[in-house]
Amino acid sequence: MNIKLIVIGKLKEKYLRDGCDEYIKRLSKFCNLKVIELDEYRLPDKPSQKDIDNALSSEAKNILKYCEGYIVSMCIEGNQISSEDLATKFESIALNGYGTITFIIGSSFGLDSTIKSQSNFKLSMSKMTFTHQIARMLLLEQIYRAFQINNNGKYHK
Amino acid sequence: MNIKLIVIGKLKEKYLRDGCDEYIKRLSKFCNLKVIELDEYRLPDKPSQKDIDNALSSEAKNILKYCEGYIVSMCIEGNQISSEDLATKFESIALNGYGTITFIIGSSFGLDSTIKSQSNFKLSMSKMTFTHQIARMLLLEQIYRAFQINNNGKYHK
C-alpha cells in the first residue's frame, strides 16, 4: 500500500518534527509513505476573507497536482471514525483496487472547498481544533495504528 | 484559576516531554498549573482482565487523593465538545465558584469506573484512540487554547 500525505507548510516545532519522524520511521515497515510538504501561501498580518480565499485556492491548485488514488481530506466538519474503523477502511480501500491513499491536511485556514468536494472521504479527528501541525503527527500515529490493527500488532492492544 | 492535571506514568518519548513542556510554559501566564504524575501499576506481559481491574483500582485510590474542585475524567466514551465550548466551560466552572479544575488521564487501560462516576464531566477528545501519552500533550494544548479563546488571544484566530 502507498500512503501519500500532502501537507501545507513546514513543521516549526522541533518536538513535532521528531514525533512525525518517529512515526514515519515506524510506518516504513508497513507501507510506502511519501510526505509532500507544499508551500504555505503568504498572507498579510490581518488577512481579509478574500486574502484567505485566494490563499486556499492557490494552495488547492498545488495540492491537486499531487492527489492520487483514494483521497481523504482532513477537516473538522468531516466524519469521525474510530481507529478500528479507519483500519477497516484501509482494507476496503485496498479491496476496491486503490494502490494509494492520499491524505491532505491544509494550512491553519483549512482546505479549499474544491479539495473537499473532490475527495472520496472527509475525515475529522476531533470536534476540537488542533493546530494543523499537531494534526500531522496525530494522523501519522493513526495511520500507524491502523496498520498495527490490521497486522494484529501489539501497539493497539 | 488553578488547573491540576493528574496523569499515570512518565512520558517515555522526548518529543512528547518537549511538547508538554512548551504548553506548560505557555500556560504559566494564564493559570497556576500543577502536573501530578503518578506511578503506573506494574502489569505482567499478558495481563488478565483481573490484573487490569486491580491495576485500575489501585491507580484510582492514588488518583482520588489528589482530586480537587471540578473533576474532568478523560475517556473515549465521554462527551466531545469543541475548543470554544471548552473555553466557555472554563468560565462557567469559575462562575460556579470552583477555584480548581482537575483533569485526569489514566494509563493505557484507561480509568477505573469509580473515578469516572465521581467526576463532574467526562471528556473525550476523539473517537480515535490516541496513546495516553499523546493525550497529555493534546489536552495541555486544548487547555492553553481555552485560555487564549477566553482572553481573545491570537492563538485561536
Side-chain angles (χ1 to χ4, degrees), chain A residues 13-16 18-20 22-23 26 80-84 86 109 123-131 134 137-138 141-142 145 155-157, chain B residues 13-16 18-20 22-23 26 80-84 86 109 123-131 134 137-138 141-142 145 155-157:
Chain A
E13 309 285 354
K14 186 179 181 301
Y15 63 87
L16 290 177
D18 291 347
C20 287
E22 171 66 26
Y23 285 105
R26 292 189 191 192
Q80 279 202 43
I81 58 175
S82 67
S83 302
E84 291 82 1
L86 183 66
F109 292 103
L123 177 63
S124 170
M125 289 192 285
S126 179
K127 268 196 187 178
M128 290 175 159
T129 308
F130 299 126
T131 67
I134 288 180
M137 191 184 86
L138 288 184
E141 197 262 349
Q142 287 303 307
R145 190 178 288 272
Y155 185 81
H156 186 66
K157 286 181 180 166
Chain B
E13 309 286 352
K14 184 178 183 304
Y15 63 88
L16 290 176
D18 291 347
C20 287
E22 172 64 27
Y23 285 104
R26 292 189 190 192
Q80 278 201 44
I81 58 175
S82 68
S83 301
E84 291 82 1
L86 183 66
F109 292 102
L123 177 63
S124 170
M125 289 192 285
S126 179
K127 267 196 188 179
M128 290 173 159
T129 308
F130 299 125
T131 68
I134 287 181
M137 192 183 86
L138 287 183
E141 198 263 350
Q142 286 305 307
R145 190 177 288 271
Y155 185 81
H156 186 67
K157 285 180 179 166

Side-chain angles (χ1 to χ4, degrees), chain B residues 32-136:
Chain B
N32 175 23
L33 172 72
K34 261 191 209 161
V35 180
I36 296 164
E37 206 170 57
L38 301 177
D39 286 342
E40 193 160 2
Y41 191 92
R42 287 210 184 168
L43 280 168
D45 260 1
K46 290 187 180 174
S48 65
Q49 190 54 49
K50 200 178 162 199
D51 290 332
I52 294 169
D53 290 346
N54 283 343
L56 294 182
S57 159
S58 160
E59 284 163 5
K61 280 182 197 139
N62 209 3
I63 289 168
L64 285 173
K65 291 180 202 159
Y66 296 91
C67 283
E68 175 182 5
Y70 188 94
I71 316 288
V72 181
S73 285
M74 304 303 294
C75 43
I76 199 161
E77 75 277 18
N79 304 285
Q80 278 201 44
I81 58 175
S82 68
S83 301
E84 291 82 1
D85 287 346
L86 183 66
T88 306
K89 201 164 178 58
F90 273 31
E91 295 195 317
S92 70
I93 291 169
L95 282 173
N96 280 309
Y98 290 100
T100 301
I101 309 177
T102 299
F103 289 90
I104 310 167
I105 300 175
S107 68
S108 47
F109 292 102
L111 285 170
D112 193 73
S113 57
T114 56
I115 298 289
K116 295 182 194 173
S117 61
Q118 290 182 47
S119 299
N120 298 82
F121 192 70
K122 284 179 273 186
L123 177 63
S124 170
M125 289 192 285
S126 179
K127 267 196 188 179
M128 290 173 159
T129 308
F130 299 125
T131 68
H132 64 125
Q133 308 229 328
I134 287 181
R136 191 187 309 188

Side-chain angles (χ1 to χ4, degrees), chain A residues 1 6 8 32 42 57 61 67 80-82 90 93 101-102 104 110 120 122:
Chain A
M1 169 75 79
I6 305 178
I8 303 292
N32 176 22
R42 286 208 186 172
S57 160
K61 279 181 198 142
C67 284
Q80 279 202 43
I81 58 175
S82 67
F90 273 30
I93 290 168
I101 310 177
T102 299
I104 311 167
N120 297 83
K122 285 178 272 185

Side-chain angles (χ1 to χ4, degrees), chain A residues 7-8 40 43 52 55-57 59-60 63 73-77 104-113 115-116 130 132:
Chain A
V7 291
I8 303 292
E40 193 160 4
L43 281 168
I52 294 170
L56 293 182
S57 160
E59 285 163 3
I63 289 168
S73 285
M74 304 302 296
C75 44
I76 200 162
E77 75 277 19
I104 311 167
I105 301 174
S107 69
S108 47
F109 292 103
L111 285 170
D112 194 72
S113 58
I115 298 288
K116 293 181 195 172
F130 299 126
H132 63 127

